[in-house]
Amino acid sequence: MTTTIEQVEEQRKKLNQMIADLKASIPSTYGIPEARIELKSGEHYAGIALGAEGEPSHHLILLPGDGDMTWSKASEWAASIGGELPTRQEQALLFANLKGKFEQAYYWANEQYASYTDSAWSQDFNYGYQYYGSKDSELRARAIRRVPIHKEAV
């Protein structure tokens, strides 16, 4: 019996579908080695941030302190206290879970605005809008720290 390329291709498609079905049936398990996340004085737990594929990525911790400053000064200040400015996604989580810990003002994100190199994103903690503005403007700043979540092998 002679095997044709078409028959091999058909078998390959079936095998690929079987592999995809098997992968989809395996449950995802996430281990949190930091079963207890210790908060330092003034810190607040904000929740779990998700990665690009929707998987748990890290725990988000809001650090104490804030102030009005330019974007570059905000980044320097956050690093000086052992943190970072939050991403836009993290700011949305902070707005959802810890809005009361912020003044009703705009707060810097760590993300620059792609179309204008002299602009960066911010989050309005009054109405929830995200907007970009000049990095030279003085907006509020809060720092965060991240505790990674590692996916366990099944």
Side-chain angles (χ1 to χ4, degrees):
M1 177 173 153
T2 305
T3 304
T4 66
I5 291 177
E6 290 80 16
Q7 290 172 323
V8 172
E9 285 291 324
E10 185 61 33
Q11 290 299 318
R12 184 186 60 81
K13 287 179 185 176
K14 288 180 182 178
L15 184 58
N16 285 342
Q17 186 59 51
M18 289 172 59
I19 291 170
D21 292 344
L22 182 60
K23 284 182 178 179
S25 70
I26 298 172
S28 294
T29 303
Y30 292 90
I32 303 171
E34 307 81 6
R36 292 176 41 141
I37 297 172
E38 293 188 32
L39 298 177
K40 298 171 187 159
S41 179
E43 291 184 338
H44 298 279
Y45 181 78
I48 295 176
L50 302 179
E53 301 297 319
E55 75 285 359
S57 171
H58 58 275
H59 299 277
L60 186 64
I61 311 298
L62 178 66
L63 301 181
D66 65 348
D68 293 316
M69 55 197 89
T70 65
W71 185 75
S72 61
K73 291 288 185 193
S75 296
E76 291 171 12
W77 166 78
S80 77
I81 64 166
E84 298 178 57
L85 294 178
T87 65
R88 291 174 64 201
Q89 177 194 14
E90 290 167 339
Q91 283 186 319
L93 183 62
L94 291 165
F95 180 80
N97 293 342
L98 293 177
K99 180 182 175 186
K101 301 296 179 187
F102 291 81
E103 291 185 19
Q104 293 182 353
Y106 279 91
Y107 285 78
W108 285 119
N110 72 353
E111 298 177 40
Q112 296 185 64
Y113 184 66
S115 299
Y116 303 108
T117 58
D118 64 341
S119 296
W121 285 98
S122 62
Q123 170 82 41
D124 173 22
F125 277 86
N126 189 23
Y127 296 106
Y129 301 121
Q130 291 189 345
Y131 196 71
Y132 64 92
S134 170
K135 293 178 186 177
D136 292 332
S137 298
E138 288 201 357
L139 301 181
R140 306 287 299 163
R142 292 292 300 262
I144 53 97
R145 69 178 171 98
R146 299 174 185 95
V147 179
I149 298 173
H150 303 287
K151 184 175 181 181
E152 293 180 349
V154 180

